[in-house]
Structure formats: C-alpha cells, structure tokens
C-alpha cells in the first residue's frame, strides 16, 4: 500500500491535468484563430497562447514554440507534443496545421470548426453523464444494500444468519445472490456508459473534420 500511494496520487493528478487541458483547449484554439485572422503566422499564435493561456495549455503550447525556436519544424514539434500529451483534439490541431502548411487552405475556418466540435462533444458527454447519474446511483445503492443489511443483522442479531451458513443446502444461496447483485450492478453501469459512447461516436466523431481540412 505504501508503494502504491505515490502511483495512485500521480495517476489522479495526471487525470486532473488531462481534464483541465481538454477543458481549456477550445479557448486556446479560438485564440489561435483570432491571431491567424489578423495576419500573423501560426508560430506567433502558438507562442502567444503559450504566454497568455492558463496552464496546462500554456505549458504545452510553450513547449511547441520553444522547439520551433531551436530549429525543429512546426509540424514535427506539434506531432511530438501531441504524442506526449495524448489528447486527440490536440492531435487534430497538429494535423490541421500540418495540412495547411503542405497544401494551403483556410486554417482559421478549420480550427474554428475544431473548436466548435470539441465544445459540442464535451457538452454531449456532460449531458449523458447527468442523464445516467440516477441509474448509476441506484446501482450503487442496490448493490450495497445486501451487504449493509447483512452487517446490520450481524450486529443486532448475530445468530439470525447462522442457519444460512450451517445448513449445507443453504450454502449456495450467498453465491447465487452475490452473482445476481454483481450482474445487475454491471448492467446498470454498462448501459449508461454504452449510451455515452454511442452518442459520442455517432454525433461528434472527430473524423468529420476531414470535410473541412
């Protein structure tokens, strides 16, 4: 337990940082769009985001700007940073910038579309989680009730459940009850999760950006 504690804390902080990055990324993309539209290059826009945005977005964009200043190509810097960050929306930003540099096109419009899609996907995820909150709470309560009732009976009347464990014919009942409760909880949690994934894939999948790039 002592050796696992640092890893657990690190994983929790990493997830918190990833969530903050995903939440702030649309604002950073909008900042890049505004800077590009006034005529400045993408590299200047990335440097500005690294200076003015909030962390951890500012840290990531500053790393990209630092790499370009020492001679790394912008597309390579974005690809390396995207692989390190692991955020799919940031990787699409890197792909959009790379394609614009290679073939031309309206980068501002593409990034604006990306920003809108990221916001809509996040809104759909939040709505799906809110809609499934009642089901998940019911599953937790119903799954915990047998254990709570058993613990209460053992404290109030310790001998009440003795026949359940003493009689061989009753020995299979706890196993059957535990299996049924576990199956119900798993289904109650899996259905909302499946709903979230289905909405995410069918409505706001990132591959729709190909139409605008």
């Amino acid at each position: 337990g002592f050796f696992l504690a640092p890893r657990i804390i690190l994983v929790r902080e990493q997830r918190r940082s990833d969530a903050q990055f995903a939440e702030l990324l649309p604002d950073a993309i909008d900042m890049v769009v505004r800077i590009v539209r006034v005529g400045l290059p993408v590299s200047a826009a990335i440097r500005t985001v690294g200076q003015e945005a909030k962390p951890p977005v500012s840290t990531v964009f500053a790393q990209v700007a630092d790499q370009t200043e020492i001679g790394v190509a912008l597309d390579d810097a974005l690809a390396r940073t995207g692989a390190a960050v692991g955020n799919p929306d940031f990787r699409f930003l890197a792909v959009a910038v790379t394609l614009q540099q290679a073939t031309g096109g309206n980068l501002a419009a593409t990034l604006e579309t990306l920003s809108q899609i990221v916001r809509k996907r996040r809104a759909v995820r939040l709505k799906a989680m809110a809609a499934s909150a009642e089901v998940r709470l019911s599953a937790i309560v119903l799954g915990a009730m047998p254990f709570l009732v058993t613990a209460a009976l053992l404290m109030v009347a310790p001998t009440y459940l003795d026949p359940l464990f003493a009689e061989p014919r009753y020995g299979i009942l706890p196993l059957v009850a535990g299996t049924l409760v576990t199956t119900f909880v798993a289904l109650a949690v899996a259905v909302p999760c499946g709903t979230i994934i289905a909405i995410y894939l069918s409505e706001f999948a990132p591959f729709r950006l190909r139409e605008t790039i």
Side-chain angles (χ1 to χ4, degrees):
F2 175 78
F3 297 100
L4 291 177
R7 182 176 181 82
I8 294 174
I9 295 174
L10 180 61
V11 170
R12 187 176 65 177
E13 292 299 323
Q14 181 64 48
R15 289 179 179 175
R16 182 182 302 176
S17 178
D18 292 342
Q20 291 177 348
F21 183 87
E23 182 178 357
L24 296 174
L25 183 60
D27 296 332
I29 296 175
D30 289 341
M31 188 182 300
V32 173
V33 171
R34 291 192 295 268
I35 296 174
V36 170
R37 279 180 174 169
V38 300
L40 295 177
V42 181
S43 57
I46 292 176
R47 170 56 69 184
T48 302
V49 174
Q51 294 174 347
E52 298 183 3
K54 297 179 180 179
V57 169
S58 61
T59 305
V60 173
F61 279 79
Q63 290 177 357
V64 176
D66 292 340
Q67 292 182 51
T68 58
E69 288 182 356
I70 63 175
V72 180
L74 180 58
D75 54 349
D76 291 337
L78 287 170
R80 294 176 184 176
T81 306
V85 172
N87 184 281
D89 299 320
F90 186 84
R91 288 199 290 265
F92 273 98
L93 169 65
V95 171
V97 173
T98 301
L99 289 179
Q100 191 273 338
Q101 288 188 334
T103 62
N106 192 344
L107 178 61
T110 301
L111 295 183
E112 187 176 10
T113 303
L114 172 61
S115 176
Q116 294 174 357
I117 290 177
V118 172
R119 284 191 169 92
K120 289 180 180 179
R121 287 166 52 198
R122 184 172 182 272
V124 168
R125 285 196 298 267
L126 293 177
K127 289 181 181 179
M129 292 180 64
S132 62
E134 182 178 356
V135 178
R136 288 185 281 112
L137 181 60
S138 300
I140 294 174
V141 172
L142 294 176
M145 281 184 62
F147 303 99
L148 296 177
V149 171
T150 301
L153 288 175
L154 291 177
M155 289 187 295
V156 175
T159 60
Y160 183 80
L161 296 178
D162 286 348
L164 185 62
F165 301 100
E167 293 290 337
R169 56 182 177 177
Y170 296 146
I172 196 174
L173 292 180
L175 179 61
V176 174
T179 303
L180 293 177
V181 170
T182 304
T183 303
F184 173 77
V185 173
L187 291 176
V189 174
V191 170
C193 293
T195 303
I196 295 174
I197 295 173
I199 295 175
Y200 172 80
L201 293 178
S202 62
E203 296 295 334
F204 300 105
F207 61 78
R208 291 190 177 183
L209 280 177
R210 297 174 184 172
E211 300 177 357
T212 60
I213 295 178

